[in-house]
Amino acid sequence: MKRSGRALDRMSPRRQTSWDARAATNFICGGAGGGLLAATALASPLGVDLRSLIVLGLALVGLGLLAVWLEIGRPLRALNVYRNVATSWMTREALVATLLFAAGAAAVVLDQPAAIWLAGLSGIGLVYAQGRILRNQKGIPAWRHGLCAALVVATGVTEGAGLLVMAALIWPALTPFGVLLAVLAVARLVVWRRYRESLRGVGVPVGTLKAFDAIDVPFVWVGHAVPIGLGIAGALLGWPIAVALAGAAAVVAGAWFKFVLIGRAALTQGFALPQAPARGSGRPGVGARPGWSRAKAQ
Amino acid sequence: MSPRYVMVIDLRRCVGCQTCTAACKSANATPPGVQWRRVLDQESGEYPDVRRTFLPVSCMHCAEPPCAEVCPTTATQKREDGLVTIDYDVCIGCANCIMACPYDARTIQHEPRWAYGVPMAHELARADPGRLSVATKCTFCKERIDRAAITGQTPGVDPEVTPACVNSCISGAMLFGDINDPTSGVVKLLESARHFRVHEDLGTGPSIYYIWSET
Ligand code: SF4
Ligand code: SF4
């Protein structure tokens, strides 16, 4: 049945408006920066001085945190963010970020493998914490799905590998890491496919499915087919330009996906009416769950 | 056993008049655009058996509040008596709780807003800058409930210590009380009628029960 009017529509899910491009920037830059630190740690045994990549990773994470600091309502109280390590993944993200900056600074100054690996592990920790922040948001069905966190982690590490292989233009020794990028892109493609299938299965707001449908083709081709093809070809043939292009495609596609995930696809739960009440001497009627792809709850 | 306050709303009685919405705005001086309570309006069924239901909603004061779990500052807390509270002096306005709430119950308002653009005297008198840029939501009129400990009155029985929306309801559709007290009105009503809670499958344990039919 067609419904109209503002009052009637209010039961339907709506796009969240509390986190805008600034919050998306934190997920985009923080994920890519954390992933880059991890990828740089993996590349560190090559013996190439990659400290500038560590600086870039720290700068990206810092940019993301700055963006989110500009978004919060009371920035002067920002340090209160450390108060709930017991249950809040936002607190844990802040703690991991603190460790990440300390380890990253030590890695840049001391150039010690232990510091580089600690920075890399903190990078993974940050990406994981970001995934868990979304996972615990019960009000946004697209985020609370278990595979969303996996997708955010897969995207962060893929972007990190993408940034690493872009640096093959400066350090050709990094060219073989095109294979790592390709493997991560395959993994992300698998998670992306399973995530979308599962969303359809359990039911989500229709707007969420539409937002993901709209990016599926470019995301699969630019974010996966190109990095897989060029990454492997460039690594096998020793072409830094090919792996750099593969990396750029992975980074751009990952950023665009996260922008959609935080914005367009982030519809709220909305309301459901399991039963229409019995009025007067009448019988109860059927309920409603407007705006959902399935009547069944997730 | 300490009290645990819940609200019971009889959907058979609600006529969608929004008096509770207005009473909440008056009691809590929420600015234009911020509604801690609203009444949703939903059609369901197929012709010729079409229904129209009014669903009053607000913060559900969840037993397992996801908003408190994600809050990085501990500004959001659940009290012993079931009320979920926000400390406006601690909140940083990160909106994490807004995303965690499946009931769209929370708002962050960053700028002062006035009904007619410029502030009227009564709006200025009750405007609270401490509530800007932090999360706000229905409090179950916690100041009234807290007063009960001083006056010896009973929330849900004595209007002075009962949420304003419940007092205002023109059809007597709303009841408030202690679900741990077997003699309370809410327990008796819940025993005598079929009810649901919204999104129970999410495991939040909402404290608002909706009556839809006789047992
Ligand atoms: S309804 Fe929302 S704001 Fe209220 S306690 Fe539950 S999760 Fe928190
Ligand atoms: S907006 Fe305030 S109450 Fe909500 S999660 Fe952030 S600090 Fe906690």
Side-chain angles (χ1 to χ4, degrees):
Chain A
M1 175 187 302
K2 176 138 176 52
R3 297 179 203 92
S4 61
R6 186 166 169 262
L8 294 176
D9 283 346
R10 276 188 304 190
M11 258 183 81
S12 306
R14 60 171 181 83
R15 193 179 294 169
Q16 69 82 13
T17 52
S18 300
W19 283 359
D20 61 16
R22 290 167 291 187
T25 300
N26 185 37
F27 285 96
I28 292 168
C29 293
L36 177 59
L37 290 173
T40 304
L42 278 181
S44 61
L46 286 178
V48 182
D49 183 359
L50 298 175
R51 282 181 292 172
S52 44
L53 290 184
I54 295 177
V55 172
L56 177 63
L58 295 178
L60 282 169
V61 173
L63 183 65
L65 293 175
L66 175 69
V68 99
W69 183 74
L70 292 173
E71 175 146 61
I72 64 174
R74 298 282 185 153
L76 298 182
R77 295 180 193 161
L79 291 181
N80 284 356
V81 79
Y82 289 107
R83 291 171 61 140
N84 191 12
V85 70
T87 63
S88 171
W89 278 96
M90 195 175 261
T91 298
R92 293 170 189 169
E93 181 200 28
L95 285 169
V96 172
T98 308
L99 175 66
L100 179 147
F101 281 110
V108 171
V109 173
L110 306 174
D111 198 15
Q112 288 295 315
I116 295 172
W117 282 101
L118 186 58
L121 279 177
S122 317
I124 291 287
L126 185 91
V127 176
Y128 180 73
Q130 291 197 333
R132 292 302 303 265
I133 286 175
L134 295 183
R135 172 82 177 85
N136 283 16
Q137 306 295 20
K138 280 200 171 160
I140 309 288
W143 297 353
R144 70 171 182 247
H145 190 287
L147 286 176
C148 181
L151 193 52
V152 167
V153 172
T155 301
V157 293
T158 307
E159 288 170 315
L163 287 169
L164 180 80
V165 297
M166 286 171 76
L169 288 176
I170 303 167
W171 298 287
L174 294 174
T175 307
F177 280 88
V179 175
L180 173 70
L181 173 65
V183 168
L184 292 174
V186 168
R188 184 175 64 179
L189 183 60
V190 170
V191 180
W192 168 245
R193 284 275 177 250
R194 287 195 53 204
Y195 171 63
R196 290 186 61 231
E197 271 166 30
S198 184
L199 287 182
R200 280 182 205 287
V202 295
V204 275
V206 173
T208 295
L209 293 181
K210 279 189 185 159
F212 286 147
D213 286 348
I215 63 163
D216 183 50
V217 172
F219 187 48
V220 168
W221 282 97
V222 178
H224 301 87
V226 172
I228 293 167
L230 284 183
I232 290 176
L236 294 180
L237 301 171
W239 290 345
I241 182 75
V243 294
L245 281 173
V251 171
V252 170
W256 180 241
F257 158 69
K258 279 192 259 184
F259 188 74
V260 171
L261 179 69
I262 302 301
R264 273 183 221 163
L267 274 85
T268 60
Q269 174 77 24
F271 287 87
L273 190 64
Q275 293 284 340
R279 289 188 184 280
S281 58
R283 299 159 289 111
V286 297
R289 189 183 191 98
W292 272 65
S293 64
R294 284 170 62 117
K296 187 176 162 292
Q298 187 177 337
Chain B
M1 193 187 293
S2 68
R4 168 143 171 63
Y5 293 113
V6 302
M7 196 176 275
V8 180
I9 302 178
D10 192 338
L11 295 181
R12 299 169 302 178
R13 288 175 169 238
C14 177
V15 295
C17 66
Q18 305 271 3
T19 303
C20 54
T21 307
C24 175
K25 286 197 84 68
S26 167
N28 295 295
T30 54
V34 176
Q35 275 182 233
W36 288 355
R37 164 162 295 277
R38 50 208 171 108
V39 181
L40 307 179
D41 182 335
Q42 180 64 40
E43 283 176 24
S44 61
E46 297 286 338
Y47 175 83
D49 188 10
V50 179
R51 306 298 176 98
R52 187 176 179 194
T53 304
F54 303 106
L55 187 73
V57 295
S58 66
C59 171
M60 304 275 171
H61 293 271
C62 303
E64 303 291 337
C67 54
E69 182 186 338
V70 304
C71 174
T73 66
T74 64
T76 293
Q77 301 264 354
K78 193 184 83 170
R79 305 198 319 188
E80 189 93 328
D81 61 3
L83 270 62
V84 175
T85 59
I86 303 170
D87 185 337
Y88 301 141
D89 295 329
V90 172
C91 173
I92 58 173
C94 65
N96 218 17
C97 54
I98 293 182
M99 306 298 171
C101 172
Y103 304 100
D104 219 352
R106 293 176 166 239
T107 320
I108 297 180
Q109 189 206 4
H110 293 282
E111 307 289 338
R113 256 186 249 148
W114 317 106
Y116 294 101
V118 288
M120 290 180 280
H122 73 277
E123 286 179 306
L124 270 183
R126 300 187 65 197
D128 178 1
R131 288 200 327 209
L132 286 178
S133 297
V134 295
T136 70
K137 65 167 189 71
C138 155
T139 65
F140 262 4
C141 287
K142 103 177 134 64
E143 291 77 12
R144 290 170 183 242
I145 289 166
D146 289 345
R147 208 179 302 145
I150 301 163
T151 61
Q153 292 169 297
T154 306
V157 175
D158 300 300
E160 296 81 5
V161 293
T162 298
C165 53
V166 176
N167 288 338
S168 75
C169 179
I170 61 161
S171 61
M174 298 164 83
L175 221 62
F176 187 81
D178 175 10
I179 201 166
N180 287 341
D181 173 3
T183 65
S184 70
V186 288
V187 170
K188 286 184 184 149
L189 186 54
L190 287 175
E191 279 170 357
S192 69
R194 297 166 83 182
H195 49 83
F196 65 78
R197 293 181 290 172
V198 178
H199 302 324
E200 262 194 286
D201 50 308
L202 294 179
T204 51
S207 295
I208 300 187
Y209 294 78
Y210 296 94
I211 303 246
W212 57 276
S213 177
E214 290 171 5
T215 46

